Amino acid sequence: MTPQWHDGPLAALDWNGEAPVVWRAAADDAAARRDLAQALVARLARRRVEEVRLARTAAGAPRVAGPPGWYIGLSHRGAHCLIGAATRPIAVDRELVDDAPPLWDMLTDREGRTVRRLDPLVQPRAWLRRWTIKEAHAKLVGEPRRIAPETIETEVIDPVHATARYEGVSRCWTRDDAEAIETVALWQAAA
């Protein structure tokens, strides 16, 4: 199911009741990000904010401790955070766009060849998109620090859609604006 992207106030979210939601919001610190994540889950689960409890996994990832059946993903860079919420595992990544050259050793050989074939002016952004896909997928696996980025194989399908493969396959959706590249990952349904 395609995620629903939302920017702006949570009160303006028009949710269909099914799709995972990915919300970009301004947040200054960890407490603000926690409060926003609780508010998003409360809104989607039709609960009061006080009924939503967040915790951390042994690897340090945020998770919903209550109400049951909800999952969150969280990433922050710059003045904004990206929060994903769904009734199935979800992960997100947000990276600020800069002019840093690609770190070729973070890509598989195939990915490196693909990015190197692009115009040198677009290579950094193409690399960063793959990086967000790898990060979101690694978070979905559950212990991103134990996974070497070059072991995650990404497949860019079009400017929005991609897949990642390592201990399972995720479907990924990316959006790219002047400030950041953001990706959400969900496990691919079995065929």
Side-chain angles (χ1 to χ4, degrees):
M1 174 166 295
T2 301
Q4 179 179 339
W5 297 90
H6 179 70
D7 299 315
L10 189 55
L13 174 63
D14 183 21
W15 184 53
N16 68 10
E18 294 179 18
V21 172
V22 183
W23 181 31
R24 179 173 49 197
D28 294 331
D29 56 29
R33 292 187 295 272
R34 181 196 63 236
D35 291 348
L36 291 169
Q38 284 179 288
L40 178 58
V41 172
R43 169 113 182 191
L44 301 181
R46 295 179 172 85
R47 302 286 186 100
R48 294 187 336 260
V49 171
E50 300 80 27
E51 296 178 79
V52 176
R53 294 180 334 278
L54 301 182
R56 294 218 172 255
T57 66
R63 68 176 187 84
V64 178
W70 285 94
Y71 298 86
I72 60 169
L74 184 60
S75 182
H76 65 92
R77 291 286 185 266
H80 290 89
C81 67
L82 195 64
I83 306 165
T87 56
R88 58 191 266 203
I90 186 169
V92 297
D93 190 54
R94 178 176 203 278
E95 300 291 340
L96 297 177
V97 173
D98 60 23
D99 293 326
L103 300 172
W104 299 109
D105 64 339
M106 301 291 204
L107 300 177
T108 66
D109 289 340
R110 185 193 57 77
E111 292 168 337
R113 285 190 305 273
T114 300
V115 173
R116 280 186 174 97
R117 281 194 293 262
L118 299 173
D119 182 311
L121 295 175
V122 300
Q123 287 178 7
R125 204 173 199 105
W127 179 90
L128 189 60
R129 178 173 182 214
R130 289 203 189 250
W131 179 254
T132 66
I133 294 165
K134 287 174 181 277
E135 282 283 305
H137 182 82
K139 290 176 182 179
L140 195 59
V141 170
E143 294 183 64
R145 290 187 179 113
R146 76 168 170 82
I147 303 169
E150 66 275 12
T151 63
I152 300 171
E153 183 75 39
T154 64
E155 182 69 36
V156 172
I157 299 165
D158 61 34
V160 173
H161 302 91
T163 61
R165 184 179 309 274
Y166 178 90
E167 294 185 7
V169 178
S170 66
R171 291 189 63 202
C172 302
W173 293 263
T174 301
R175 68 179 182 175
D176 181 344
D177 63 24
E179 177 184 297
I181 297 176
E182 301 169 333
T183 295
V184 56
L186 298 162
W187 289 118
Q188 182 168 297

